[in-house]
Structures are given as structure tokens and as C-alpha cells.
Amino acid sequence: MNKIFFVTNNVFKEQEIRIFFQSNQYQKFNLLSLKDIDFRDSIPESGNSFKENALLKSEFFFQKTHLPCFSEDSGLKVEYLNGKPGIYSSRYSKTKNSMDNMKKLLSNMIKDTSRKAELFSVFCLKINEKDTYFFKGKLSGKISRKIIVNQGFGYDPIFIPNHYKHTLSEINIDKKNKISHRIKAFKKLIQFLNNRNF
Ligand code: ITT
């Protein structure tokens, strides 16, 4: 079975992908994580776009290990804030704590004219030295007025997907995985690997 690594230090992202992977029984691949090879290097995220950051993460891992891998960069774009926090989503507030990030975002939207927002995800797949591919997904919705912490991570407690009444934090991972930006992008990656006979 082919081994493939998910280059992430975000346990929530990893959990979402693992649950999706297991429930869809992709038996052709063995999905591994950084812990499996005790990979502890700090991975750079100095790009100017989701795509550049996703590429930096996969390149960094591949150059060190020469193992096939994929990485993901994601974030929230808020219309009223001209697309912010975008690539800075995980470090929007000084503390970088997700509660502080959400509080800062809500306080910047007090005089809002729109609460439209999108969650974006870009995966970078690096199979070998020369073959690198990208897959994108997005989820449209709006920013709630209250923070409702229940499940999930990041901005889940304030993101209400279109056609939903509740925030992402109020639905379980299986339900989130049916609509999320991350799974939309990841499905394209899996389909690509299946078609390539990886
Ligand atoms: P890795 O780089 O190690 O994968 P990270 O947490 O640093 O982990 P990103 O740089 O891609 O990942 O930042 C993603 C941030 O975007 C995340 O911390 C949240 O603030 C936000 N975000 C992305 N997907 C989200 C989701 O499904 N729900 C809520 N917030 C999300």
C-alpha cells in the first residue's frame, strides 16, 4: 500500500481528514502523519497566498524526507474586512489564540454592511521532486453575531454556512465534512491519486 504523509501540526485538520478518509475506505493509501516519523521541525509559512503557503509546507517536508506528501493552507475571508484575515487567520490577534482571533474579528465588524464570508482551503500534493499539484475548495457563509463554542476549531464558532441556521461548531465532524472547504479540496486530491494509480 502506498504511504502518503499529511504535513500538518493542526490536530483538528488531521482529525477531519482522517475521519473522512476512514469513512470512505480509501484502502489503496496508507495515510501517515508527522508523528509517525517523529518529524518535529518547524515548518515555514511565509508565503503571500494560501497556495504559496501550502507549497512551502510540502516542499519543506519533501526536501527533508523525500517521501510523498500533501499539506493544506486555509483561512477565512470576510467581505466587510476586504478578505481579511485570509492567510493570517490563525494569527489574527496578538495572542494567536482562536478565542482572541474571533473576538477581534467580531469587534472589527460592529459597523458592518455585510457579514458574508468564505472559508478557503488549498492542498498541495508533492509526489516526487518534479510533480506538484494543487486542489482548492471553498465554503460560503456568514459571520454570526455571537461566539458559540461547542465542537471544531478556529472560526467554527462564528461561521454559519449558507442554507444553515447554526455555526460549524454546532455540527459534528461527519456533517461538517459533507460541506467543508477542506473536504471539497481533499476529494479532488483523492480523485487525482485514484486516477493516477498512485
Ligand atoms: P498547519 O499549517 O500545520 O497545517 P495551521 O493551523 O497553522 O496548521 P493554517 O496556517 O492553514 O493552519 O491556518 C488555518 C487557520 O484558518 C486556522 O487556524 C483557522 O483559524 C482558520 N480555519 C481554516 N479552516 C477552518 C475551519 O474548517 N474551521 C474554522 N477555522 C478554520
Side-chain angles (χ1 to χ4, degrees):
M1 204 190 313
N2 281 311
K3 286 181 183 171
I4 190 153
F5 282 82
F6 184 13
V7 182
T8 183
N9 284 308
N10 183 321
V11 292
F12 300 99
K13 281 187 186 180
E14 195 185 322
Q15 197 189 14
E16 287 179 7
I17 292 299
R18 261 195 199 286
I19 285 180
F20 177 80
F21 204 77
Q22 279 156 9
S23 63
N24 287 278
Q25 299 182 330
Y26 291 115
Q27 284 156 353
K28 276 163 73 179
F29 317 111
N30 187 4
L31 181 61
L32 296 168
S33 66
L34 299 180
K35 282 174 243 125
D36 292 312
I37 52 165
D38 207 20
F39 190 93
R40 291 162 188 249
D41 298 30
S42 122
I43 303 171
E45 256 185 72
S46 50
N48 290 315
S49 63
F50 294 120
K51 189 175 172 184
E52 273 180 31
N53 279 335
L55 177 63
L56 281 170
K57 296 177 208 183
S58 280
E59 277 287 346
F60 184 84
F61 179 83
F62 188 84
Q63 292 316 329
K64 297 241 165 184
T65 62
H66 294 279
L67 294 165
C69 65
F70 59 82
S71 59
E72 192 245 21
D73 203 67
S74 50
L76 176 71
K77 287 182 171 185
V78 178
E79 185 173 271
Y80 178 68
L81 303 175
N82 298 317
K84 283 183 187 155
I87 58 167
Y88 302 105
S89 292
S90 63
R91 30 190 168 135
Y92 190 46
S93 65
K94 272 195 204 125
T95 63
K96 300 179 184 168
N97 168 285
S98 76
M99 184 53 78
D100 291 338
N101 290 345
M102 289 187 287
K103 283 183 180 162
K104 177 174 174 184
L105 194 122
L106 291 185
S107 70
N108 285 341
M109 291 187 71
I110 286 175
K111 296 182 181 157
D112 72 85
T113 46
S114 156
R115 297 191 78 83
K116 278 189 194 165
E118 278 174 339
L119 280 165
F120 272 86
S121 165
V122 178
F123 276 82
C124 174
L125 169 68
K126 188 139 181 77
I127 298 173
N128 54 40
E129 193 65 56
K130 61 180 192 357
D131 291 323
T132 308
Y133 304 92
F134 297 92
F135 306 90
K136 293 180 191 169
K138 75 172 181 184
L139 174 64
S140 301
K142 65 178 182 203
I143 301 298
S144 67
R145 295 197 182 268
K146 280 190 195 155
I147 300 175
I148 300 169
V149 183
N150 193 355
Q151 320 176 39
F153 75 104
Y155 297 89
D156 281 349
I158 57 167
F159 188 89
I160 304 175
N162 282 349
H163 316 299
Y164 278 68
K165 289 196 174 109
H166 301 288
T167 64
L168 283 177
S169 132
E170 292 163 273
I171 61 177
N172 65 29
I173 292 186
D174 279 324
K175 281 192 180 149
K176 180 177 174 186
N177 276 353
K178 294 226 159 53
I179 56 168
S180 86
H181 51 311
R182 181 163 300 105
I183 296 302
K184 281 180 196 153
F186 187 62
K187 272 184 185 164
K188 294 178 191 169
L189 185 155
I190 290 288
Q191 200 167 12
F192 177 86
L193 287 177
N194 274 333
N195 291 343
R196 255 185 80 117
N197 254 335
F198 172 78

